[in-house]
Amino acid sequence: MKQFLSFVKKEFHHILRDRRTMFILLGMPIVQIIIFGFALTNEVKNAKIAVLDPSKDAATVSLTGELNASKYFDVEENVVSYDQIESAFKKGRIKLAVVYPQHFGEDLEHLNQSAVQLIADASDPNVASTLVSYASAIISDYQKRVTDERKLPYTIKTEMRMLYNPQLKGAYNFVPGVMAMVLLLVCTMMTAITIVKEKELGTMEVMLVSPIQPLKIVIAKAIPYLILSIVNISSILLLSVFVLEVPINGSIPLLVAESILFTLVSLALGLLISSGAESQQTAMFISLVGMFLPTIMFSGFMFPIENMPLPLRIISNIVPAKWYYSIVKSVMIKGVGLGAVWKETLILAGMVVFFISLAVKKFKIRLE
């Protein structure tokens, strides 16, 4: 045990005396969670719109004012023809155009109906659909207020409740995914160079004559990174709550424990890469490219896994971030307990054992 602790202490000294390593371990997660947390969102805000209003009555002015007052739209210009609308779209000045009919207010008052045309730039279909949905919702709210005193027969009112995320904030979906991506990339990348670095520095021979078992050497190399990763987990959770305003509705100890388990998976995966790589550059490349793309594509926070073909859905099951993303969403957003995420927890625990055993086997082969 004394030899094992001495080996752990040596690894700590290697990390603490390298300022670049310390910055990557402690500074990069904070920078990444802030950048990705604000940049990765499916919300569309302050979209420029044009208004074609030949009616110019109280109803159109009021409705246009509500569109402009929302956080989603800014009235960029008032146009007088469809040609001006087309020109604004081609020049990229607007994303949406609102067109009123000639007698909007009169039709609404006397005929109890009117129409509003929404023209969107569908070169980006996702943004176009989102903007049309936002505008339709604002128009629908305005219509309800106008017709509130006119009780029409045989009307069906739909009441909606958005559970867990009433304000439909994009951060509630992206923060768990960003947490998975940051922890996986940082932990895997740093441990991916630990063993291969010994070979490049010529200190592998020291391990050959060392009385410590290969399993203990691999574990000793992971312990310092695990302790520093716990600090990262704390900072990520604090930033998520106080900066990105995503509450923790479930058990904090359970969320921290699941995050530590996912960190162990990442560290074990990094050690496996380090045991098989021939150089630090190769290990870094595999950990960055080999982990980043699968995490983005198959974790579920960018692209719904349910919409993928069956072969890709099967492949997604071997991506650790998928299971951690599901756990964080369930615990952090929905507030569930261990009883709802025990299957995902067992899968991550199995991955730790599998990756560690492979890393030890490869490390023994390298020592030989």
Side-chain angles (χ1 to χ4, degrees):
M1 179 59 69
K2 185 177 180 181
Q3 294 173 337
F4 175 76
L5 293 177
S6 299
F7 206 93
V8 173
K9 184 177 179 181
K10 177 186 77 71
E11 290 298 321
F12 258 118
H13 283 308
H14 279 306
I15 297 173
L16 295 177
R17 71 184 182 184
D18 189 344
R19 294 183 179 180
R20 290 179 297 179
T21 301
M22 289 299 296
F23 173 76
I24 293 174
L25 277 173
L26 301 178
M28 186 179 291
I30 296 175
V31 174
Q32 286 181 330
I33 197 74
I34 293 176
I35 293 176
F36 289 138
F38 284 107
L40 293 179
T41 176
N42 55 5
E43 294 183 81
V44 182
K45 299 179 181 179
N46 303 317
K48 304 296 182 182
I49 66 174
V51 177
L52 175 56
D53 183 10
S55 181
K56 290 186 172 56
D57 51 39
T60 59
V61 172
S62 176
L63 183 52
T64 301
E66 291 194 16
L67 289 168
N68 194 37
S70 71
K71 64 180 181 180
Y72 305 112
F73 300 108
D74 287 331
V75 177
E76 176 72 9
E77 55 185 300
N78 291 282
V79 297
V80 296
S81 67
Y82 280 94
D83 291 337
Q84 289 183 332
I85 292 177
E86 185 175 358
S87 175
F89 274 124
K90 288 182 176 179
K91 294 179 180 179
R93 295 201 305 266
I94 61 172
K95 294 291 184 181
L96 183 77
V98 181
V99 181
Y100 297 104
Q102 182 67 42
H103 305 289
F104 179 83
E106 293 181 9
D107 293 344
L108 200 63
E109 181 69 25
H110 300 295
L111 302 178
N112 293 326
Q113 65 178 6
S114 189
V116 178
Q117 184 181 27
L118 300 175
I119 306 174
D121 179 2
S123 59
D124 188 336
N126 294 328
V127 173
S129 300
T130 302
L131 291 178
V132 169
S133 298
Y134 289 161
S136 299
I138 294 173
I139 294 171
S140 178
D141 289 341
Y142 175 80
Q143 177 184 343
K144 288 180 181 179
R145 287 196 301 273
V146 170
T147 60
D148 187 45
E149 298 179 356
R150 304 174 187 177
K151 299 297 182 181
L152 301 178
Y154 309 112
T155 58
I156 299 176
K157 294 184 178 179
T158 303
E159 294 184 2
M160 295 184 297
R161 290 182 60 196
M162 298 295 179
L163 298 178
Y164 313 120
N165 186 9
Q167 297 177 333
L168 300 179
K169 292 183 178 180
Y172 282 60
N173 179 56
F174 285 104
V175 164
V178 170
M179 289 174 60
M181 183 173 63
V182 169
L183 287 176
L184 182 66
L185 287 179
V186 172
C187 297
T188 304
M189 182 176 61
M190 295 313 302
T191 53
I193 62 175
T194 53
I195 295 177
V196 70
K197 183 170 64 175
E198 301 283 355
K199 177 183 177 182
E200 291 189 351
L201 294 177
T203 55
M204 186 67 75
E205 290 76 9
V206 178
M207 293 185 181
L208 288 172
V209 297
S210 173
I212 304 178
Q213 299 175 353
L215 176 61
K216 292 183 179 180
I217 293 177
V218 172
I219 294 176
K221 284 185 170 295
I223 287 178
Y225 294 101
L226 175 62
I227 295 174
L228 293 174
S229 296
I230 294 175
V231 177
N232 284 333
I233 292 170
S234 303
S235 62
I236 288 173
L237 292 178
L238 290 173
L239 287 171
S240 300
V241 173
F242 294 106
V243 178
L244 301 176
E245 299 180 347
V246 178
I248 301 177
N249 296 320
S251 169
I252 295 179
L254 176 60
L255 183 59
V256 172
E258 296 286 359
S259 298
I260 293 175
L261 178 60
F262 180 68
T263 300
L264 288 173
V265 176
S266 305
L267 294 175
L269 188 56
L271 291 171
L272 175 59
I273 294 172
S274 185
S275 299
E278 295 297 328
S279 65
Q280 293 188 57
Q281 289 78 10
T282 303
M284 291 286 286
F285 179 80
I286 295 174
S287 60
L288 282 175
V289 178
M291 295 296 105
F292 181 76
L293 291 179
T295 301
I296 291 292
M297 295 180 63
F298 298 118
S299 63
F301 86 100
M302 287 289 288
F303 308 104
I305 296 176
E306 295 79 8
N307 297 340
M308 296 180 181
L310 180 60
L312 294 182
R313 294 203 302 270
I314 295 174
I315 292 174
S316 69
N317 292 324
I318 64 174
V319 178
K322 171 189 174 180
W323 306 108
Y324 179 67
Y325 173 70
S326 176
I327 291 172
V328 174
K329 281 191 69 175
S330 299
V331 176
M332 191 173 184
I333 308 300
K334 296 181 180 180
V336 302
L338 180 60
V341 296
W342 66 271
K343 292 182 180 179
E344 293 86 348
T345 303
L346 286 179
I347 291 173
L348 289 180
M351 287 183 176
V352 173
V353 176
F354 178 71
F355 291 147
I356 283 289
S357 61
L358 282 183
V360 172
K361 185 180 296 185
K362 284 185 172 293
F363 184 64
K364 287 180 178 179
I365 295 174
R366 173 157 287 185
L367 287 179
E368 294 172 356

